[in-house]
């Protein structure tokens, strides 16, 4: 309902005012009647939580007693690998987290008791008043994003994209409640879920963490998921036994970045923000969500971690969110002028708690304390942040519940991966499967057959679980790391063998006795944020396609089960299959697949397909020129007839070129690149002026052949500073790899470097190569220009994914140096004197 009101609001605003401009800069009022700048028609929400006067008075009393040191401690969340209970005691820390793949004692196989024991140790440290301090219970946050996925033996629910396909909000509530119970069993208070991203570009590696590209689906889930995790507001179950604090993340428009670039920039107007990316937050807030995580991404070039308008004016003041805003993994460090260890800007913009995973959180603490003392962070803001944190802790009952081990479900191993929870997960698997093709009604299959089960996903629980499964990226796991889980193959074998059929596991599809039918399970290997971004939507499963074709050529009917975290271009694979089912990342309960694709023993349909595409499925691999193969909402079932013939097999991608010289900078940065600098105080600027003075860096236009064709770059030794070419979209340079190409630039050394200098090429956070060029930057003859060539191959070997380059050239040093640079290019067939080392 909210949804409709907003949409109508926006549309009538646009229509009535005859344009966007007239609608912006409208003045609205927050619930205390203070005016706020509202650039779009943000709704007034109802139904969330009402503040309790007694609770607020209690918080007042605590705030009066707390020292500045204790208050600042509440603002810091340190990570398991970098914090001890003694630190919690000494610094009065408000929170700890365990990141993806981070466990008590660094032990992947930590037991439930280990988790609870560590939770107790942190708790007791936070309540220790031997130094005369105020006892404030700590909260521990974890990424229980598809079940309690860091814990061995936990129920792993299908990833959010699969849940989106079920279109079943009641099921989502149950998934939330079951997840909360497993989190509570380990003594943890808080989950960093749900993700409310409304992903618009499926190249993003977090697409599977999104319920849907459609805001209505996301909004219909956000509320129930929050209720499942926290319990329903204004009922006895709210934060009662087995419920934990939820997080709406990543605020806002994490799924709207240009090109689907992780941590990128969402470049559109406020109406679009409101219409597409906000509705999930509305229902989450109405369901009483207690925390919101700021997004790594930016909106219109401004980092969300420092976005006062959206964090404070919109989220807190206008939408009335009165819980607290937590940062994301050092996300504050990317705000202009900030670093991992200092960012009053974020707190002043409305961030309430820093997620500070590095060991240097102690420096962040010290700097924040100094900023609170000298008024850089006003007392009112500090008190407001602490008040919000205390309010959430009180609402969650942490002041009364005692030590984690004393709380409901704590330490109860039987809750982890319980049969009830697994049944919910299996139901979710069944309802999430999307049938794209079913030639001649091949499905459902009879059980009483010889079934060949092939493909590298057939008996591979890590692959079916996807990212955020025991490890952060979901990699490095064995089936034995998922005790109690069922692979797709195991589920099929159980169904078939129950009536005397035969299931033969053969990853490569070879067999001795010809099967009646082949089921091939293949698709994407696990990945998570950063590493999961891709250049285009091509599935690239040549070996899988060959296997499908081979089986078909032997007159064996082929059922494809496609494991994926996003829609990918698979028309050739679909054409080579008789039936094609998208099974997403189903998680630990692989048997849910057999439940649907096999008939009952008596021949009746067991479970029909219920899943519908939560994302549009593409007809080509080229997202720049999108064509639809299967529309959003598509999904066959056993009563629909599949009438589709062969699908087009043109990928829409052109061969990457690699022959001609590619100019990147010729007098000026050539599109799509921009000349940008990141100075010694982490301030980034696009260089357009003839002289730009930055902190520790000076960039000046100078002449070589023609006026202003070069740039003089002077580093002043004030700490790391970078100049280079950057774009907001990816460029495919992979064609140049074949052509023994090199990144080249001409340089004149005016003053030799005092410290190491690196030249880098980047394809995103954690996706880059940097090579030292210090030795090449020596003055041989004063005033001489020389060319430096860096083989692309070296950069590729060191980590640059050449098909998705975001920055083809940058130079960085912390020391002093003065060089002039001209003509940056990628040239084919270059003899290079540089060796990859
Ligand atoms: C952590 C993750 C985190 C990531 C971000 C990993 O080491 O375990 O939880 O999201 O780093 O950089
Ligand atoms: C991710 C968050 C996650 C956090 C803690 C970040 O890198 O973006 O989604 O909650 O790490 O692991």
């Amino acid at each position: 309902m909210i949804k409709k009101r907003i949409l109508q609001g926006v549309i009538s605003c646009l229509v009535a005012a005859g344009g966007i401009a007239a609608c912006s800069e409208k003045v609205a009022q927050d619930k205390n009647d203070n005016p706020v700048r509202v650039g779009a028609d943000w709704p007034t929400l109802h139904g969330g939580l009402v503040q309790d006067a007694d609770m607020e008075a209690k918080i007042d009393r605590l705030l009066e007693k707390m020292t500045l040191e204790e208050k600042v401690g509440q603002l810091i969340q340190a990570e398991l690998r970098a914090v001890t209970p003694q630190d919690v005691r000494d610094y009065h820390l408000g929170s700890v987290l365990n990141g993806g793949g981070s466990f008590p004692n660094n032990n992947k196989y930590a037991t439930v008791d280990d988790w609870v024991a560590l939770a107790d140790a942190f708790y007791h440290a936070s309540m220790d008043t031997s130094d005369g301090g105020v006892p404030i219970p700590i909260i521990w946050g974890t990424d229980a994003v598809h079940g309690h996925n860091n814990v061995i033996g936990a129920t792993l629910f299908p990833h959010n994209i699969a849940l989106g396909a079920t279109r079943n909000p009641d099921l989502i509530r149950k998934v939330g409640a079951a997840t909360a119970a497993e989190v509570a069993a380990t003594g943890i208070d808080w989950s960093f879920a749900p993700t409310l991203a409304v992903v618009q570009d499926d190249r993003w590696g977090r697409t599977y963490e999104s319920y849907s590209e459609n805001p209505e689906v996301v909004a219909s889930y956000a509320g129930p998921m929050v209720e499942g995790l926290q319990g329903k507001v204004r009922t006895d179950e709210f934060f009662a036994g087995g419920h934990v604090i939820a997080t709406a993340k990543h605020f806002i428009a994490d799924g709207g970045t240009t090109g689907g670039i992780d941590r990128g920039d969402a470049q559109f107007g406020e109406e679009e923000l409101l219409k597409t990316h906000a509705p999930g937050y509305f229902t989450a807030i109405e369901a009483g969500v207690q925390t919101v995580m700021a997004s790594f991404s930016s909106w219109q070039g401004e980092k969300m971690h420092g976005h006062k308008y959206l964090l404070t004016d919109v989220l807190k003041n206008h939408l009335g969110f009165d819980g607290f805003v937590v940062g994301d993994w050092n996300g504050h460090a990317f705000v202009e002028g900030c670093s991992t260890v200092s960012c009053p800007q974020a707190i002043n913009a409305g961030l309430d708690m820093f997620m500070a995973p590095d060991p240097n959180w102690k420096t962040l603490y010290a700097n924040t304390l100094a900023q609170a003392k000298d008024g850089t962070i006003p007392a009112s803001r500090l008190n407001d942040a602490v008040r919000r944190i205390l309010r959430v802790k009180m609402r969650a009952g942490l002041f009364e519940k005692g030590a984690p081990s004393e709380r409901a479900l704590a330490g109860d191993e039987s809750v982890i991966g319980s049969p009830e929870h697994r049944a919910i997960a299996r139901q979710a698997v069944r309802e999430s499967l999307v049938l794209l093709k079913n030639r001649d009604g091949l499905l459902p299959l009879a059980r009483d057959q010889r079934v060949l089960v092939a493909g590298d996903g057939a008996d591979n629980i890590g692959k079916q679980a996807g990212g955020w499964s025991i490890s952060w990226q979901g990699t490095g796991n064995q089936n034995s790391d998922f005790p109690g889980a069922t692979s797709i193959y195991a589920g099929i074998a159980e169904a078939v063998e129950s009536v005397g059929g035969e299931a033969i596991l053969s990853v490569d599809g070879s067999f001795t006795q010809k099967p009646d039918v082949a089921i091939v399970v293949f698709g994407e290997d696990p990945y998570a944020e950063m590493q999961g971004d891709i250049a285009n939507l091509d599935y690239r499963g040549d070996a899988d396609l060959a296997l499908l074709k081979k089986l078909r050529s032997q007159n064996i009917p082929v059922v494809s089960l496609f494991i994926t975290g996003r829609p990918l271009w698979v028309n050739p694979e679909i054409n080579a299959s008789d039936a094609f089912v998208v099974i997403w990342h189903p998680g630990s309960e692989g048997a849910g697949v057999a439940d649907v694709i096999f008939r009952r023993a008596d021949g009746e349909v067991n479970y029909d397909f219920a899943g519908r595409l939560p994302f549009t499925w593409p007809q080509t691999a080229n997202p720049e020129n999108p064509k639809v193969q299967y529309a959003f909402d598509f999904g066959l079932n056993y009563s629909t007839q599949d009438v589709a013939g062969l699908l087009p097999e043109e990928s829409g991608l052109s061969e990457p070129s690699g022959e001609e010289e590619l100019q990147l900078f010729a007098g000026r940065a050539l599109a799509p690149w921009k000349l940008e600098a990141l100075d010694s105080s982490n301030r980034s600027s696009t260089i357009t002026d003839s002289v730009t003075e930055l902190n520790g860096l000076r960039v000046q236009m100078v002449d070589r052949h023609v006026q202003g064709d070069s740039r003089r770059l002077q580093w002043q030794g004030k700490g790391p500073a970078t100049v280079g070419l950057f774009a907001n979209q990816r460029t495919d340079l992979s064609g140049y790899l074949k052509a023994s190409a090199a990144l080249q630039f001409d340089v004149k050394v005016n003053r030799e470097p005092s410290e190491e200098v690196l030249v880098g090429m980047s394809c995103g956070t954690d996706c880059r190569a940097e090579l030292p060029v210090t030795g090449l930057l020596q003055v041989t003859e004063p005033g001489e220009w020389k060319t430096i060539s860096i083989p692309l191959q070296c950069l590729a070997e060191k980590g640059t994914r050449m098909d998705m380059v975001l920055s083809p050239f940058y130079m960085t040093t912390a020391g002093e140096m003065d060089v002039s640079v001209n003509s940056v290019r990628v040239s084919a067939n270059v003899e290079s004197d540089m060796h990859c080392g």
Side-chain angles (χ1 to χ4, degrees):
M1 296 125 287
I2 296 179
K3 177 69 190 18
K4 260 194 207 123
R5 261 190 30 228
I6 302 159
L7 285 178
Q8 280 162 3
V10 174
I11 291 161
S12 58
C13 172
L14 290 174
V15 172
I20 299 168
C23 288
S24 55
E25 292 300 328
K26 210 172 58 172
V27 175
Q29 260 133 26
D30 71 9
K31 55 187 179 184
N32 303 320
D33 292 336
N34 299 318
V36 284
R37 181 177 76 94
V38 179
D41 209 0
W42 294 88
T44 303
L45 303 179
H46 304 285
L49 281 169
V50 181
Q51 283 173 14
D52 177 290
D54 290 345
M55 188 185 283
E56 298 302 315
K58 223 159 127 188
I59 297 173
D60 287 338
R61 288 194 293 276
L62 286 173
L63 285 173
E64 272 164 32
K65 283 194 238 153
M66 289 169 79
T67 61
L68 218 48
E69 284 76 6
E70 290 174 293
K71 289 179 182 176
V72 169
Q74 288 299 309
L75 270 47
I76 308 269
Q77 180 182 60
E79 209 272 343
L80 233 55
R81 289 166 283 199
V83 66
T84 63
Q86 188 60 41
D87 291 330
V88 170
R89 194 175 280 117
D90 293 346
Y91 292 85
H92 305 279
L93 293 187
S95 179
V96 291
L97 87 144
N98 68 301
S102 175
F103 323 97
N105 317 315
N106 272 322
N107 174 16
K108 174 170 173 176
Y109 303 101
T111 63
V112 171
D113 282 348
D114 295 335
W115 288 92
V116 175
L118 186 55
D120 264 7
F122 285 134
Y123 172 83
H124 289 306
S126 71
M127 301 302 277
D128 184 349
T129 54
S130 55
D131 66 353
V134 184
I136 309 284
I138 195 162
I139 38 173
W140 175 339
T142 193
D143 292 286
V145 300
H146 67 136
H148 197 8
N149 43 250
N150 286 290
V151 175
I152 295 281
T155 309
L156 298 186
F157 294 91
H159 269 298
N160 286 349
I161 193 168
L163 298 179
T166 73
R167 304 290 206 281
N168 186 347
D170 286 334
L171 176 63
I172 298 318
R173 188 179 282 107
K174 287 193 217 158
V175 170
T179 303
E182 298 203 12
V183 172
T186 54
I188 297 178
D189 318 295
W190 178 16
S191 173
F192 300 133
T195 296
L196 301 179
V198 186
V199 176
Q200 302 298 297
D201 190 317
D202 306 351
R203 285 174 287 183
W204 191 32
R206 305 190 80 161
T207 302
Y208 68 80
E209 295 186 56
S210 166
Y211 295 121
S212 177
E213 69 188 13
N214 179 304
E216 282 181 58
V217 174
V218 176
S220 74
Y221 277 20
M225 186 47 127
V226 169
E227 280 179 9
L229 286 163
Q230 301 190 349
K232 202 171 169 58
V233 276
R234 287 181 300 280
T235 71
D236 292 345
E237 70 167 35
F238 190 56
F239 288 122
H243 286 102
V244 298
I245 299 162
T247 310
K249 76 183 188 185
H250 309 81
F251 189 79
I252 187 175
D254 49 349
T257 64
T258 300
I261 293 168
D262 193 43
R263 307 181 172 194
D265 187 24
Q267 300 162 312
F268 40 72
E270 194 163 345
E271 296 70 30
E272 180 63 20
L273 197 68
L274 170 62
K275 177 175 69 115
T276 304
H277 300 278
Y281 290 92
F282 302 155
T283 59
I285 291 169
E286 295 203 315
V289 73
Q290 288 300 293
T291 70
V292 167
M293 189 185 290
S295 182
F296 273 125
S297 56
S298 311
W299 179 53
Q300 297 186 344
E302 194 175 336
K303 291 282 173 201
M304 280 308 305
H305 277 67
H307 211 296
K308 183 159 193 286
Y309 173 61
L310 289 172
L311 294 182
T312 297
D313 297 351
V314 171
L315 176 66
K316 292 178 172 177
N317 293 345
H318 189 81
L319 299 178
F321 170 70
D322 70 355
F324 70 84
V325 177
V326 63
D328 196 354
W329 202 270
N330 275 333
H332 56 274
F334 302 96
V335 174
E336 268 213 17
C338 291
S339 70
T340 49
V341 296
S342 175
C343 195
Q345 292 90 326
I347 299 295
N348 288 342
L351 193 85
D352 300 305
M353 184 185 277
F354 290 114
M355 187 186 285
D358 298 345
N360 63 14
W361 62 260
K362 289 179 185 168
T363 316
L364 176 65
Y365 171 91
N367 288 332
T368 310
L369 182 60
Q371 291 146 2
K373 281 187 178 155
D374 72 13
T376 310
I377 298 172
S380 55
R381 177 71 270 269
L382 179 69
N383 286 333
D384 174 57
V386 178
R387 171 180 296 278
R388 287 167 176 273
I389 294 167
L390 298 186
R391 183 184 291 139
V392 171
K393 291 179 174 183
M394 279 187 195
R395 280 179 177 159
L398 301 187
F399 281 84
E400 291 104 55
K401 285 179 177 169
S405 60
E406 292 160 26
R407 300 180 195 160
L409 307 185
D412 186 347
E413 270 177 50
S414 71
V415 174
I416 303 291
S418 74
E420 296 75 29
H421 297 167
R422 290 188 188 279
I424 297 166
R426 184 164 169 172
Q427 178 191 349
V429 175
R430 283 198 296 266
E431 296 188 15
S432 69
L433 309 177
V434 180
L435 181 62
L436 294 186
K437 175 176 184 176
N438 193 15
R439 198 164 70 93
D440 300 333
L442 174 63
L443 297 179
L445 302 169
R447 297 188 177 211
D448 182 15
Q449 306 193 71
R450 180 179 303 126
V451 181
L452 183 77
V453 189
D456 72 348
D459 193 34
N460 187 340
I461 299 172
K463 180 155 176 153
Q464 83 193 34
W468 298 103
S469 299
I470 309 300
S471 60
W472 173 41
Q473 296 281 325
T475 48
N477 296 313
Q478 317 283 322
N479 278 3
S480 58
D481 291 331
F482 303 94
T486 306
S487 73
I488 317 271
Y489 160 73
I492 293 171
E494 197 190 342
V496 169
E497 287 161 9
S498 65
V499 297
E502 201 189 339
I504 305 138
L505 178 65
S506 164
V507 171
D508 68 1
S510 59
F511 52 82
T512 42
Q513 265 189 301
K514 188 176 174 189
D516 299 310
V517 62
I519 299 175
V520 186
V521 193
F522 62 95
E524 285 195 305
D525 286 324
Y527 56 79
E529 45 175 338
M530 305 195 264
Q531 302 180 22
D533 285 13
I534 48 176
N536 58 59
L537 298 177
D538 188 5
Y539 167 54
R540 290 171 206 214
D542 293 347
D544 301 310
L545 182 59
L547 175 57
L548 303 177
K549 287 184 172 165
K550 185 168 162 212
L551 292 165
R552 278 273 254 12
S553 71
Q554 297 169 88
N555 288 320
I556 301 166
V558 171
V559 178
S560 284
L561 302 180
F562 187 51
I563 294 176
T564 191
R566 56 190 146 206
L568 289 175
W569 184 65
V570 279
N571 280 6
E573 287 79 3
I574 294 175
N575 284 341
S577 312
D578 296 284
F580 195 97
V581 186
V582 180
I583 67 172
W584 315 107
H585 284 292
S588 60
E589 305 315 304
V593 177
D595 284 345
V596 180
I597 65 172
F598 283 94
R599 293 175 185 277
R600 295 208 304 243
D602 64 8
E604 293 296 312
V605 168
N606 189 25
Y607 289 95
D608 200 349
F609 279 91
R612 288 182 282 144
L613 288 179
F615 282 80
T616 307
W617 201 276
Q619 191 176 72
T620 74
N622 183 355
E624 300 294 341
N625 178 18
K627 288 190 186 148
V628 179
Q629 187 63 59
Y630 300 104
F632 168 80
D633 229 19
F634 181 86
L636 299 169
N637 62 29
Y638 291 144
S639 36
T640 41
Q641 263 224 299
D642 179 5
V643 290
L646 283 184
L647 308 180
E649 292 203 8
E650 292 80 47
S651 73
L653 299 174
S654 42
E655 268 295 301
S657 69
E659 286 313 313
E660 291 186 6
E661 182 172 272
L662 179 69
Q663 294 279 343
L664 306 169
F665 181 95
R668 62 194 160 86
L670 299 175
W673 318 107
K674 287 192 174 130
L675 184 65
E676 286 185 7
L678 191 65
D679 73 7
S680 300
S681 41
N682 206 21
R683 236 175 276 273
S684 68
S685 7
T686 303
I687 311 286
T688 45
D689 296 342
S690 57
V691 182
T692 311
E693 301 275 4
L694 299 158
N695 185 21
L697 189 68
R698 183 170 193 274
V699 182
Q700 187 189 351
M701 206 179 251
V702 290
D703 314 338
R704 182 186 179 187
H705 303 301
V706 294
Q707 191 179 338
D709 63 351
S710 308
R711 296 294 178 279
R712 179 167 180 192
L713 313 171
Q714 289 165 282
W715 275 264
Q716 291 145 9
K718 293 198 186 157
T722 304
V723 190
L725 300 167
F726 295 86
N728 252 317
Q729 67 191 63
R730 300 188 182 283
T731 296
D732 185 353
L733 296 181
S734 61
Y736 287 93
L737 269 182
K738 286 174 255 161
S740 50
L743 169 67
Q744 293 192 306
F745 58 98
D746 294 350
V747 65
K748 177 163 73 76
V749 181
N750 310 313
R751 178 184 175 166
E752 291 180 358
S754 65
E755 285 184 36
E756 185 177 57
V757 183
L758 299 171
V759 166
M761 189 182 276
S762 148
C763 38
T765 325
D766 253 23
C767 178
R768 71 166 84 90
E770 287 175 351
L771 294 169
V773 292
T774 326
L776 301 171
L777 295 172
Q778 307 301 320
V779 185
T780 33
E781 227 173 281
E784 182 199 39
W785 282 88
K786 56 182 159 190
T787 300
I788 292 185
S789 306
I790 302 177
L792 245 47
Q793 193 59 43
C794 296
L795 294 159
E797 279 166 19
K798 291 216 180 293
T800 305
R801 283 151 69 181
M802 286 297 160
D803 58 346
M804 43 194 288
V805 172
L806 286 172
S807 169
F809 166 83
Y810 61 87
M811 203 187 264
T812 186
T813 184
E816 288 176 70
M817 168 168 82
D818 181 348
V819 293
S820 301
V821 173
N822 159 284
S823 175
V824 184
R825 67 246 184 221
V826 175
S827 326
N829 305 312
V830 165
E831 287 282 334
S832 171
D833 47 11
M834 192 189 210
H835 301 288
C836 315

